[in-house]
Amino acid sequence: MLDWIRAIIQKILHLSKQLDDYEKDSVVQALPSLAYVNRAKKCIANQDFEQAERILEEAMELPQEDALVYKYLGMVCERTGRPSEAVISYKKSANINSSDKDIWRLLGFALINCGQFEEALESFENANKVNPANTDVFAGWGMAYMRLKRYPEAHEKFMEAVRLNRYNFMALLLAAIMEVRLGKYNDADAKLSFLANVSPNETNTYEYANLKYIRKDYDSAIFYANKALSFNDKMLPVYLLLGKLYAIKGQKKESLETYENAVSKGLAFPHLFFDWAVTLQIFGDYEGAKVQFEKARSIAPGEEEVSAGLALTNAYSGNIEEAEHLMQNVRNLKDDNYVYSKATGLIAMRKGDYTLAISKFKNVTDLMFFDNGLNFLIAQCYDSINDVSNAKEYYETSLLNAGDNIDIYLKYSDFLIRNEEFESAQRKLKRAQKIDENNLDVLNLLFHIGYILVKDNWSEYNMKETLGIAEKILKIDPGSFRYPEEKSDLDNIANNR
């Protein structure tokens, strides 16, 4: 976020035409330092900052101090990546000539770059007194409020910047971002739609994609996210958003390819590997998720969410001791954190504390509504404490978005068999068979249910179908057939009919 803000500041500073003719910029035209300033300005215009700095340092040795010398030295410091030194120079200039129409604005942006937001507010207030109704002053003022998370005040300043200059698209974008933060989605949508179509670039289209994601218009979000990449294919936030969007839509292949594409663009950052891991475990690939969490930890070893993610994958595989060890490094995450709650829930579940596990999983079901695994885990916890009604509800919910997850069908069918809902279990397993017709676990359970139903209500069709399932299992792998005695019983019944 800080780099993004800095980029905006540089654009505003560029648009402000800082390098006015020095004659217009000077209060006292007769100062001998003006010749030095003039030479330095030409060097700055040619991006020869090293020579400009040498000239300005020579001017500082003259007997009389000139505010312009420090002002342009501040500019050199900013353009060479030394914002704290720029602040010192700008302050010196402002102390010498506090009525300079630009100095307070320049100081304000430099203070934002240094994280001194409260002081930046004062600087922009001074700028407005010296040079009122300046669109860039109000844009900077809003940015200082934004960085302080004082979003209503920030929005007010950005809107004033737009009122002063309707072509200040940067201020319009920031106003829209504040409206998103404030939940004013309709207002934000109008602004971002305008920007994405009238002034399309990577930032405008990304922010519009993000708003569409928030508003659950996932197809539009995907469209604008891909459009953002067409402007700049090295925007990490866009890849993270796309990975999540495809996961929400259940498009596993597209989601995982998004992360791979980001790596191919040189974006191998901890956040990428972390989100990649989260997505993999949502799709049920906990081993793959562990690999990506490890990559994230190798780059950011102290990141608590990464430790929680590794704890999650270890807990899922039953390595509780290692999971608990990893969670000892997690001190600042709370129950509203998805990875933390799922990890603590899995640890509790593996240790038999199902009530605590259910509580932890439910903490984040709304936050990560597309993680169908949460509903499945809750169902299994209720099943373990014999809460049949809730178990059935959550099994049904998890089945709605089961996709190709055969395990959900198997666990739910086993639950239904134990509760003597045989026909319902049979229907679920036949749905699973359409996903994988040769799955031996599915076929064994189908045979077992068929046997029970034939014994309860014999029919020739059911008998043939059930024995056919047994023959199919024996043909695929004779050693995997689990119910030889039941088959022998059915063979005897068939032979005696």
Side-chain angles (χ1 to χ4, degrees):
M1 181 66 176
L2 184 57
D3 290 339
W4 179 70
I5 292 293
R6 284 176 178 163
I8 291 175
I9 290 172
Q10 292 306 317
K11 288 182 182 180
I12 291 174
L13 293 176
H14 177 71
L15 292 171
S16 298
K17 298 180 180 178
Q18 295 172 349
L19 300 178
D20 297 329
D21 291 337
Y22 74 92
E23 291 88 355
K24 298 176 183 178
D25 212 353
S26 177
V27 177
V28 183
Q29 294 290 320
L31 283 174
S33 58
L34 286 176
Y36 289 90
V37 171
N38 186 36
R39 288 166 55 207
K41 286 169 64 176
K42 288 180 180 178
C43 291
I44 293 172
N46 293 324
Q47 298 190 15
D48 187 355
F49 302 120
E50 187 176 343
Q51 179 65 14
E53 188 165 357
R54 279 198 295 267
I55 292 168
L56 292 168
E57 286 174 348
E58 288 178 22
M60 290 167 63
E61 295 176 3
L62 296 173
Q64 189 169 359
E65 289 186 321
D66 185 352
L68 288 179
V69 172
Y70 293 99
K71 176 179 177 178
Y72 286 99
L73 182 59
M75 292 181 188
V76 170
C77 290
E78 275 202 293
R79 295 186 182 200
T80 53
R82 296 173 289 159
S84 58
E85 293 180 43
V87 166
I88 294 170
S89 293
Y90 287 145
K91 283 184 175 180
K92 183 76 171 176
S93 180
N95 287 335
I96 298 170
N97 180 16
S98 62
S99 61
D100 184 306
K101 65 183 180 66
D102 291 325
I103 192 62
W104 294 108
R105 172 177 54 81
L106 294 170
L107 176 57
F109 282 116
L111 287 164
I112 290 175
N113 270 332
C114 291
Q116 300 175 43
F117 308 123
E118 292 285 358
E119 198 172 345
L121 292 178
E122 296 177 11
S123 189
F124 287 118
E125 187 174 358
N126 287 335
N128 190 49
K129 291 175 183 176
V130 175
N131 185 22
N134 180 289
T135 185
D136 293 330
V137 168
F138 278 93
W141 209 342
M143 289 169 67
Y145 275 123
M146 181 175 71
R147 297 305 304 277
L148 288 166
K149 299 185 179 180
R150 293 167 61 175
Y151 301 131
E153 295 102 317
H155 180 255
E156 178 188 347
K157 299 301 182 188
F158 291 138
M159 289 303 294
E160 182 63 16
V162 174
R163 187 189 69 79
L164 292 167
N165 179 5
R166 62 179 179 172
Y167 298 107
N168 190 339
F169 290 160
M170 192 62 70
L172 186 65
L173 171 65
L174 293 170
I177 292 171
M178 291 304 95
E179 287 165 353
V180 172
R181 295 290 180 91
L182 295 168
K184 298 179 179 180
Y185 299 139
N186 288 336
D187 292 342
D189 202 304
K191 291 178 178 63
L192 291 171
S193 175
F194 169 80
L195 289 169
N197 291 286
V198 174
S199 179
N201 59 41
E202 66 267 32
T203 305
N204 293 340
T205 48
Y206 164 70
E207 292 297 341
Y208 199 28
N210 190 53
L211 175 60
K212 291 298 185 183
Y213 157 68
I214 292 169
R215 305 193 84 176
K216 300 186 176 179
D217 183 356
Y218 301 125
D219 289 334
S220 293
I222 289 171
F223 171 80
Y224 282 104
N226 279 310
K227 191 174 180 180
L229 289 181
S230 73
F231 293 112
N232 181 358
D233 64 359
K234 296 187 184 298
M235 284 186 71
L236 178 60
V238 182
Y239 288 102
L240 300 183
L241 179 61
L242 270 174
K244 183 183 290 186
L245 286 165
Y246 286 128
I248 288 170
K249 290 177 66 65
Q251 295 175 234
K252 179 179 179 180
K253 178 175 177 288
E254 291 81 358
S255 180
L256 300 182
E257 282 180 352
T258 297
Y259 298 113
E260 291 169 1
N261 289 339
V263 171
S264 73
K265 299 297 180 181
L267 302 174
F269 296 107
H271 284 320
L272 176 72
F273 293 122
F274 178 84
D275 280 24
W276 194 347
V278 168
T279 301
L280 282 166
Q281 61 86 37
I282 285 173
F283 284 119
D285 184 359
Y286 285 87
E287 285 303 313
K290 187 175 183 179
V291 171
Q292 300 304 328
F293 279 131
E294 289 285 7
K295 289 180 183 178
R297 184 167 68 167
S298 69
I299 304 171
E303 181 60 48
E304 290 192 358
E305 248 191 327
V306 175
S307 293
L310 281 167
L312 187 160
T313 57
N314 276 280
Y316 186 84
S317 62
N319 192 350
I320 302 303
E321 185 177 345
E322 177 62 17
E324 291 184 318
H325 173 71
L326 286 160
M327 291 299 282
Q328 290 175 3
N329 300 320
V330 181
R331 298 182 177 87
N332 298 308
L333 300 182
K334 301 185 184 301
D335 282 345
D336 60 354
N337 181 279
Y338 162 72
V339 177
Y340 171 79
S341 272
K342 190 169 184 180
T344 52
L346 273 170
I347 291 170
M349 181 179 176
R350 295 291 185 248
K351 294 176 74 172
D353 191 345
Y354 300 110
T355 301
L356 176 61
I358 290 167
S359 172
K360 295 295 183 182
F361 295 143
K362 284 185 175 182
N363 281 335
V364 287
T365 49
D366 289 336
L367 180 67
M368 294 293 277
F369 62 91
F370 57 96
D371 181 1
N372 192 47
L374 288 168
N375 292 313
F376 185 38
L377 291 167
I378 293 170
Q380 292 174 78
C381 288
Y382 277 127
D383 191 356
S384 296
I385 58 176
N386 297 316
D387 187 335
V388 175
S389 176
N390 275 312
K392 189 170 185 178
E393 177 187 343
Y394 278 92
Y395 274 129
E396 283 289 347
T397 301
S398 62
L399 203 61
L400 292 174
N401 300 293
D404 60 358
N405 189 339
I406 296 287
D407 195 37
I408 295 177
Y409 289 94
L410 291 169
K411 286 284 199 310
Y412 190 14
S413 297
D414 180 66
F415 165 82
L416 291 169
I417 291 168
R418 282 185 278 109
N419 286 278
E420 300 185 354
E421 296 186 41
F422 303 116
E423 291 181 353
S424 180
Q426 188 180 54
R427 287 193 294 271
K428 304 293 186 288
L429 288 167
K430 285 184 176 181
R431 285 171 58 187
Q433 194 178 16
K434 290 179 181 178
I435 299 169
D436 182 359
E437 64 177 351
N438 294 321
N439 186 288
L440 293 170
D441 292 320
V442 172
L443 290 171
N444 270 288
L445 273 183
L446 270 174
F447 172 81
H448 178 59
I449 293 169
Y451 169 78
I452 293 169
L453 293 175
V454 166
K455 292 283 288 186
D456 185 57
N457 185 20
W458 185 89
S459 76
E460 186 174 350
Y461 174 81
N462 288 341
M463 173 72 79
K464 287 183 178 180
E465 182 182 47
T466 303
L467 287 172
I469 294 169
E471 292 302 325
K472 184 172 184 176
I473 297 169
L474 292 168
K475 185 177 180 180
I476 295 171
D477 181 7
S480 67
F481 186 52
R482 300 170 193 163
Y483 304 101
E485 292 183 5
E486 291 181 0
K487 181 180 182 303
S488 178
D489 190 18
L490 288 185
D491 286 334
N492 289 332
I493 294 172
N495 291 332
N496 293 325
R497 286 275 177 176

